[in-house]
Amino acid sequence: MATKVQITSKFWTRYRQLVRTEMIPYQWKVLNDIAGITIEKERLNDEGIPSEKSHAIENFKIAAKRAKGTHYGWTFQDSDVYKWLEAVAYSLREKMDPQLNDKALEVIDLIADAQEDDGYLDTFYSILGIEHRYQSLAGSHELYCMGHFIEAAVAYFEATENEKVLTVAKKAADNVDANFGSEEGKIHGYDGHEEIEIGLLRLYHVTGEERYLNLAKYFLMERGKHPDFFREQAAKYNGPDALKGIEKSPDTYFQNHKPILEQDTAEGHAVRVVYMCTALADLAYSTGDKELYAACVRLWDDITKRRMYITGGIGSTVIGESFTLDYDLPNDTMYCETCAAIGLIFFAKQMLKIEAKAEYAEVMERALYNCALAGMALDGKHFFYVNPLQVDPKKSKKDPTKSHVKPVRPSWLGCACCPPNLARLIASLDDYVYTINGDSILINQYIASSTAIEDAGTIKVEQITDYPWDDSVSIRIENNCDHDKKIGVRIPGWADGYRLTVNGKEEDAILSEGYAYIDVARKSKVIIDLYLEVSIKRYYANTAVSEDVGKVAIGRGPFIYCLEGVDNGEYLNSISLPKDAKLTYKWTGDLLNGVGVIEGKAKRAASRDTSLYSTIRPDTSDVDIKFIPYYAWANRGENEMQVWVREWEA
C-alpha cells in the first residue's frame, strides 16, 4: 500500500520547519567546518567554528582523492553525513527544494567517488589502510556506517527516484554480502554496533532482493554464538586505532553474551539494544516468524515495563551508556541518550506492523514528546546527548559522576550522533502517524494531517486537531475503495475516559488492545470525533525503584512535567508537593513558544541554621510552584531541574 502523509499540526509543523530551515543548514555547516556559525562563544575556536570540529565532509573528499590529508574524528564519523542526507531526503519528500536537493546530489556524488571499486564504503579505512578493513569490528563501525548510508539511500531514492544513490547502496551491500556469512572463506561475525541489519532490511523492502534479507538475518542470528569474536579479532589486529580496547567491554555491551533468541533482558549499550530490536522486529514482520516476534516481545517487555524512565528515556548508567538491571533508574546519573529514545521509537514502529497493540504507540508517544524532543533546544541549534530527570548545575561541574549531565544544551557534540538522528526522526514523522495492519488503518499518533492510502482504490484520512494541547480529534474518512475498511482509533492510556461519535452519533465501538475499531463501508464518507478526558496526573514509580520512593511525577496528556529553577528558585530538592494539593492547568502562549503549565501550592523546607546535621526538623513554608513540559526545559539559561518531587503527607 502506498501512502503519503501531509502534516499540518501547528506543534509539529514548527519543529519540521526548524529541521528544514535551521537544523539541516546548521548541520551542513558543521559537517563542512564552515566558519561563521552562531554558537556559544566558549565553543568557538579562532576560526569561528565549533571547537569540536567535524571534518566529516573533508574525510570523504580525502577518501575520494579530491583533497589531501588524513582522517579526523571517530571511526563512525561518516554516519553524521549519512543521517544528514536521510533527513534531507525526508525534507525533500515533504517539499522539494532545488537548492537543498543540489547539496544532496553533491554529497551523493562525493560518496560515490569515495566508494572503493568493490563497493566497500568507509572513509576511515579508505584513508588509513584499506588492507585492515573488517578486522576490528568491535569498534570500527564499518557496517554501522554502511547501514546508515543504506537507510539514507533508500530514503532519498523513495523521495526522488534517484537511481545513482540506490546503485551505490546496493554496491555497498553486495560488498558486505561478499565478505560476511556462514559460507567458508567469509567472516563469521558482525559489527560491534547494530545498524547494518536495519539498512539491509530497508534495502530488501525497496528492491525485493532476498539476499539482503538473508544477510540481515545472518547478522542477527550470528550475534552471541561466539562471544570471543571481537577479542580474537583484536588479538590479531595491527591497523589504525579503531576504538582500541573496546573489545574488552563486557559481552553484554555488544549484546553478544548469548544468541539473540535466548536473550530475555535488555543488556548493554542502550542504543545498540533498540537498533538490534528494530531490525529483529522488521525481520519478524517480513518473514512471519513467530519465534522472532516472541523474542521481540520479551525484550520489549523488559525495556518498557522494568527499565524505561517515565520520560521514555532508556539507559541507566554512563558506563557503557547502558542498561543495568530491572528497576534501577537513577535520576541524576542516568544516561537516557537522545539516540536511545529515538531507537525505542523505531522499535515501536516495527512492532505495530506485526501486532495492533496500542502499548507500542503509547511508548512511541511517551518517548517522542518527552525524551526525544528534549534532545533539541527550541531554536533547533543546541542539543542534548544525555537527558537527565534531575540536574543541579553545581554538581554537573564538580561531581565527576555527574559530569556527563549538562544543565544547558551545547551547540554541537564531539560525538555528534544525536543531532542528525533527531533531524531524521522529525523529518520522517509522517511515517509514524498511521500503520497499515491487515485490513485496518491504525491511527497511532494524533497529529493534524491528511493522507491518501492506495489499496485497490484510495482511502483519504484527515485529522483535525490542536493535539497535543487539545482534548479532541476529528477524523474524516473517505473510502473510495471497492472494499470495507476498519479504522483503529487509539484510546490513550492516560485518558480518564473518552467519547466517540460517528457522523454525530454516539458509537459503542469494539475496543481491542487499546484501539476502538470503526467500520467504514466501501464508497462512503464518515466523520469520527474523539473526545478525551484529560486531567493532571500524579504518577508513582514501583517501590522497587529506590530513587523514586515517596516521590511523585506530574503529567498531563502525552507530556511529563518538571520543575525548573527559573520558575521555582534554588534547591528544588527542598520542595514537597502535598498529597491533597490542587493543581491547575493553564495555557501560556508567551512562554517557551507556547506551552501548557501546571501550577499549585507546595511546601518548601529550610534548615534553621547552617549546621550540617541537626536534631531539629527543618521549617516549612507554603510556596507557589510551576511545572513546565519536560521537553521545554533548559531553554532559559542554566538552572536546576527536577521531574520527581517529594510528596508531602502532613
Side-chain angles (χ1 to χ4, degrees):
M1 296 183 189
T3 177
K4 182 178 180 181
V5 180
Q6 187 68 38
I7 290 179
T8 55
S9 158
K10 292 178 184 177
F11 183 87
W12 285 112
T13 294
R14 193 190 84 81
Y15 276 101
R16 285 159 68 83
Q17 186 70 9
L18 268 180
V19 170
R20 175 184 292 275
T21 62
E22 297 292 345
M23 291 180 76
I24 287 175
Y26 178 79
Q27 290 174 17
W28 174 252
K29 290 180 179 179
V30 171
L31 294 172
N32 284 273
D33 301 311
I34 295 173
I37 301 171
T38 304
I39 57 179
E40 295 118 338
K41 205 167 188 179
E42 64 271 20
R43 298 282 297 173
L44 295 175
N45 64 17
D46 293 339
E47 287 75 41
I49 59 177
S51 55
E52 289 281 6
K53 71 175 181 178
S54 169
H55 207 256
I57 292 293
E58 191 67 16
N59 285 337
F60 277 97
K61 289 179 179 178
I62 295 166
K65 307 296 190 293
R66 295 188 188 181
K68 293 182 179 181
T70 191
H71 186 277
Y72 175 90
W74 298 97
T75 54
F76 47 83
Q77 208 79 350
D78 292 359
S79 66
D80 293 348
V81 176
Y82 300 149
K83 283 181 276 190
W84 176 88
L85 180 60
E86 189 178 348
V88 168
Y90 298 132
S91 185
L92 294 174
R93 180 178 68 180
E94 179 190 13
K95 180 182 178 183
M96 177 52 66
D97 179 335
Q99 288 185 319
L100 182 58
N101 192 42
D102 286 345
K103 281 191 174 67
L105 290 171
E106 176 187 329
V107 169
I108 291 166
D109 287 343
L110 178 60
I111 293 168
D113 286 352
Q115 187 173 38
E116 300 292 333
D117 291 341
D118 65 356
Y120 180 80
L121 182 59
D122 186 79
T123 68
F124 183 80
Y125 284 105
S126 286
I127 294 170
L128 298 179
I130 195 69
E131 68 275 16
H132 300 294
R133 68 184 186 178
Y134 296 144
Q135 295 174 27
S136 185
L137 291 165
S140 68
H141 288 77
E142 295 157 271
L143 300 179
Y144 167 85
C145 287
M146 276 191 261
H148 271 303
F149 172 67
I150 294 170
E151 283 208 81
V154 170
Y156 189 78
F157 171 76
E158 290 178 333
T160 67
E161 299 184 348
N162 180 284
E163 290 284 351
K164 180 174 183 176
V165 72
L166 197 64
T167 298
V168 176
K170 289 189 289 186
K171 193 175 176 182
D174 291 345
N175 177 271
V176 177
D177 187 43
N179 283 278
F180 291 86
S182 59
E183 299 90 340
E184 186 177 348
K186 290 187 176 182
I187 300 168
H188 301 162
Y190 36 83
D191 199 280
H193 196 313
E194 297 89 338
E195 165 60 24
I196 184 64
E197 303 87 349
I198 298 174
L200 287 168
L201 286 165
R202 288 191 67 175
L203 192 58
Y204 160 72
H205 291 309
V206 80
T207 65
E209 176 55 68
E210 292 278 344
R211 282 188 303 116
Y212 302 142
L213 180 144
N214 292 334
L215 185 56
K217 182 177 181 179
Y218 169 78
F219 282 132
L220 288 166
M221 295 301 104
E222 184 68 15
R223 186 174 292 272
K225 287 184 178 179
H226 185 43
D228 287 327
F229 171 68
F230 295 134
R231 289 184 286 273
E232 289 175 357
Q233 273 204 324
K236 301 174 184 176
Y237 183 69
N238 62 353
D241 185 355
L243 303 186
K244 183 179 180 180
I246 196 172
E247 74 281 351
K248 297 176 183 176
S249 300
D251 295 336
T252 50
Y253 177 80
F254 302 105
Q255 299 75 54
N256 70 339
H257 54 295
K258 61 175 69 173
I260 196 169
L261 296 181
E262 298 176 17
Q263 296 182 28
D264 52 13
T265 57
E267 303 294 342
H269 189 276
V271 177
R272 298 171 195 236
V273 171
V274 285
Y275 277 25
M276 178 186 76
C277 291
T278 297
L280 189 65
D282 194 356
L283 182 63
Y285 167 75
S286 301
T287 61
D289 190 316
K290 293 182 179 179
E291 187 180 17
L292 295 181
Y293 180 54
C296 291
V297 171
R298 287 194 298 273
L299 291 168
W300 173 271
D301 285 347
D302 188 55
I303 292 169
T304 62
K305 294 177 172 57
R306 293 178 286 277
R307 301 192 178 196
M308 184 182 77
Y309 285 84
I310 196 167
T311 57
I314 53 175
S316 298
T317 177
V318 64
I319 306 300
E321 305 177 359
S322 295
F323 291 102
T324 52
L325 67 156
D326 292 349
Y327 304 110
D328 181 36
L329 298 167
N331 294 311
D332 60 351
T333 58
M334 68 324 97
Y335 212 66
C336 290
E337 182 182 342
T338 302
C339 282
I342 292 169
L344 184 58
I345 292 168
F346 294 162
F347 184 18
K349 177 189 173 187
Q350 293 297 340
M351 294 294 272
L352 277 165
K353 290 164 66 176
I354 305 172
E355 189 172 8
K357 294 179 70 173
E359 71 170 275
Y360 300 139
E362 295 277 335
V363 170
M364 180 190 292
E365 180 181 70
R366 177 62 59 90
L368 177 64
Y369 281 95
N370 296 283
C371 189
L373 209 52
M376 180 178 72
L378 295 174
D379 66 2
K381 293 186 286 190
H382 297 80
F383 309 95
F384 274 145
Y385 194 104
V386 173
N387 293 280
L389 281 77
Q390 182 175 331
V391 175
D392 182 336
K394 297 185 292 296
K395 293 180 180 179
S396 293
K397 292 174 182 176
K398 294 190 175 184
D399 182 348
T401 67
K402 299 179 176 68
S403 61
H404 61 291
V405 177
K406 308 301 181 188
V408 292
R409 297 171 182 85
S411 57
W412 197 247
L413 305 160
C415 176
C417 53
C418 297
N421 219 3
L422 192 54
R424 70 173 179 142
L425 172 69
I426 295 172
S428 65
L429 186 63
D430 40 315
D431 291 336
Y432 297 82
V433 181
Y434 306 97
T435 295
I436 310 300
N437 189 294
D439 65 346
S440 299
I441 300 171
L442 306 179
I443 300 177
N444 302 316
Q445 302 304 322
Y446 293 116
I447 296 174
S449 58
S450 60
T451 185
I453 300 168
E454 300 297 329
D455 180 23
T458 302
I459 306 163
K460 295 181 180 178
V461 183
E462 182 182 12
Q463 289 190 57
I464 301 172
T465 181
D466 196 26
Y467 193 96
W469 307 116
D470 202 359
D471 59 1
S472 63
V473 186
S474 183
I475 306 162
R476 302 183 180 190
I477 312 292
E478 183 179 331
N479 184 5
N480 294 313
C481 297
D482 293 327
H483 54 279
D484 299 347
K485 295 295 291 187
K486 290 182 182 293
I487 304 297
V489 178
R490 179 172 67 90
I491 307 303
W494 46 256
D496 295 323
Y498 71 96
R499 186 165 62 89
L500 201 61
T501 67
V502 177
N503 293 334
K505 296 181 180 179
E506 293 279 348
E507 180 75 13
D508 187 18
I510 297 172
L511 192 63
S512 175
E513 296 289 358
Y515 287 95
Y517 286 91
I518 307 295
D519 291 316
V520 180
R522 57 186 290 273
K523 307 296 182 182
S524 69
K525 298 180 181 180
V526 300
I527 297 176
I528 303 169
D529 288 308
L530 174 66
Y531 303 93
L532 299 168
E533 294 179 22
V534 186
S535 66
I536 297 169
K537 296 285 188 185
R538 290 187 179 222
Y539 291 102
Y540 300 92
N542 187 297
T543 53
V545 183
S546 59
E547 296 276 340
D548 299 331
V549 173
K551 295 180 180 179
V552 63
I554 302 300
R556 185 182 186 276
F559 295 115
I560 296 301
Y561 278 69
C562 68
L563 295 175
E564 214 177 359
V566 67
D567 300 311
N568 301 284
E570 289 188 302
Y571 304 111
L572 295 179
N573 62 296
S574 68
I575 293 176
S576 298
L577 185 64
K579 192 174 182 180
D580 59 355
K582 182 181 179 182
L583 298 174
T584 59
Y585 173 80
K586 181 176 72 174
W587 173 257
T588 54
D590 58 349
L591 178 66
L592 299 167
N593 287 322
V595 293
V597 301
I598 293 173
E599 297 176 328
K601 294 282 188 182
K603 300 285 186 181
R604 184 185 286 276
S607 298
R608 296 186 180 184
D609 56 38
T610 58
S611 300
L612 182 58
Y613 304 106
S614 174
T615 58
I616 301 173
R617 187 176 183 180
D619 292 330
T620 60
S621 58
D622 293 331
V623 293
D624 294 320
I625 58 170
K626 178 190 290 185
F627 292 88
I628 64 167
Y630 173 77
Y631 79 87
W633 87 277
N635 280 284
R636 294 175 289 172
E638 185 177 287
N639 66 155
E640 293 181 40
M641 184 277 294
Q642 191 168 299
V643 170
W644 290 96
V645 182
R646 287 184 179 83
E647 192 169 59
W648 174 276
E649 287 193 71

